Amino acid sequence: MLKRRDLPLYALRAFEATARLKTMADAAEELGVTTSAVSHQIRKLEDRLGVALFDRRRKPLALTPRGAILLSGVSESFDRLSRAAEGVGQE
């Protein structure tokens, strides 16, 4: 199990953007990095978790079943972080 301090946040952000936008190129554009950087971060995350998150044989990219599980949790967590940041900014 990954501990909070060990969470690869850049990799999770690259994963979430790629899953939502369906291409690494679009995720890279949104994140302001290269497609290669997004690919590297996703590979790093897959290596850390020991599972494939995307079926790279399909275009657009498709999530594996485990990737879909991770996306659900990551998206929910990013939504909560966004709401928390908005709440602080409005005070």
Side-chain angles (χ1 to χ4, degrees):
M1 181 169 78
L2 289 177
K3 295 183 179 174
R4 181 182 291 196
R5 70 174 183 264
D6 297 328
L7 288 173
L9 294 178
Y10 291 122
L12 289 168
R13 197 166 167 220
F15 163 73
E16 188 276 337
T18 300
R20 183 170 33 82
L21 299 170
K22 305 289 190 227
T23 71
M24 289 185 193
D26 289 345
E29 185 175 328
E30 178 177 290
L31 298 172
V33 298
T34 65
T35 303
S36 177
V38 169
S39 178
H40 177 77
Q41 289 296 319
I42 292 171
R43 285 277 184 211
K44 176 180 169 181
L45 182 59
E46 289 176 324
D47 288 347
R48 170 99 34 112
L49 298 175
V51 298
L53 299 171
F54 291 98
D55 179 352
R56 289 173 173 77
R57 298 169 295 169
R58 297 180 53 195
K59 299 293 181 194
L61 289 175
L63 288 168
T64 64
R66 290 195 173 175
I69 291 167
L70 181 61
L71 178 61
S72 176
V74 169
S75 293
E76 181 180 315
S77 297
F78 283 165
D79 288 344
R80 291 183 71 192
L81 287 168
S82 180
R83 286 191 302 275
E86 285 176 14
V88 169
Q90 293 175 357
E91 290 184 5

